Amino acid sequence: MPKIVVVGSINMDLVVLTSRYPEIGETLTGEGFMTFAGGKGANQAVAASRLGSSVVMLGCVGNDAFGRELSARLLNEGVDTAWVDVIEEVETGVAAITVAGGDNAIVVIPGANHRLSEAHVQAAERVIRDADVVLSQLEVPMPTVLAAARMARKHGKPFILNPAPAQKLPGELLDLVTLITPNEFELATALGCKGADYTELLDFLPGRVAMTRGAHGAFYSCSSGTLHHQPSFAVEVVDTTGAGDTFNAALATFWHLGLAEAIRRACAAAALSVTRLGAQGGMPTLSELDDFRARQA
Ligand code: RIB
């Protein structure tokens, strides 16, 4: 059972279902409203746990109903929440998500997620030292992500970073990451080369980028610089929210199998994740993933 530490966000997702996105200034009658557990960090933690990893979550919630519910749901998914801190004076993070035609648009209010600090990472040195993989994203402060990357390097642990939401990455972080997992836009933004061709950008970090392209699968370069493509799997798309988080969790879980195999399984897990509503709704268990892969063979 791989041991994974996730350093990241915990949100309550407030999801509106609609047939199309409203125009600016337009009021549209929607089709439904739901709340789901979310946050890129918590989603990664849940997906990795369902796939059979032993997961410790480092994150922050507010002392409120959302925070209590989200912590309880993580525990219920088998995630160790001993390192989830409750912050008194800030509310739990929320994400307002509009889902239309299987796609989504998201506005995140970070709340307590922005209180996850370098001190939290220092305090958890023991769990990072004992981990097989450290996984993070960018919904928590950059100094915290850097602290996690430094700590992972100090203890010789792979550090996988999903650079989302998109932002330019500091040079030190690019040096420290074992693998970044951007989409096309996030890759250009992370490297400070907006508008550049991704095939050239993949060469910047040979063997250290796995770029996701939704229904087109994933692209990655091996350490020799050769570009590889892993096609995605055909499924009926209900909601793409959380597909990237599932991809990252599967990568971390199957990291020990080597990059190509980990990416193959991560694409299959991400495909399954979009077949149900909610970021965590479609995340597969290990046996669901195995069954799906067997049907594709
Ligand atoms: O990646 C999907 C997640 O992004 C959602 O669960 C939402 O909380 C936002 O953080």
Side-chain angles (χ1 to χ4, degrees), residues 42-176:
N43 292 343
Q44 290 179 345
V46 168
S49 179
R50 287 192 194 165
L51 290 171
S53 288
S54 160
V55 185
V56 178
M57 175 89 210
L58 258 72
C60 290
V61 293
N63 186 6
D64 50 29
F66 282 170
R68 282 184 283 281
E69 186 177 340
L70 292 168
S71 294
R73 289 205 204 175
L74 279 169
L75 253 187
N76 200 36
E77 292 281 353
V79 175
D80 181 347
T81 57
W83 299 91
V84 174
D85 199 5
V86 179
I87 308 292
E88 285 300 328
E89 66 277 15
V90 197
E91 70 289 347
T92 298
V94 292
I97 304 182
T98 305
V99 175
D103 259 323
N104 63 62
I106 305 181
V107 177
V108 174
I109 307 297
N113 293 308
H114 273 190
R115 297 299 185 91
L116 187 69
S117 66
E118 295 162 84
H120 285 104
V121 175
Q122 299 300 337
E125 178 162 8
R126 177 172 58 78
V127 291
I128 291 178
R129 189 194 60 210
D130 291 345
D132 294 311
V133 180
V134 181
L135 188 54
S136 196
Q137 347 67 39
L138 299 177
E139 285 186 333
V140 294
M142 183 58 83
T144 310
V145 176
L146 263 168
R150 287 189 200 114
M151 185 76 77
R153 171 66 62 89
K154 176 179 172 189
H155 293 289
K157 307 297 176 179
F159 182 77
I160 301 177
L161 176 70
N162 179 222
Q167 60 176 282
K168 186 171 182 324
L169 299 183
E172 183 192 354
L173 188 56
L174 283 173
D175 288 342
L176 287 169

Side-chain angles (χ1 to χ4, degrees), residues 9 11-13 37-40 43 95 97 106 108 139 241-242 245 279:
S9 58
N11 294 334
M12 186 61 88
D13 289 353
K40 294 184 192 304
N43 292 343
I97 304 182
I106 305 181
V108 174
E139 285 186 333
T241 314
D245 306 326

Side-chain angles (χ1 to χ4, degrees), residues 184-196:
E184 200 172 337
F185 174 74
E186 290 156 358
L187 176 61
T189 309
L191 298 178
C193 305
K194 280 191 193 162

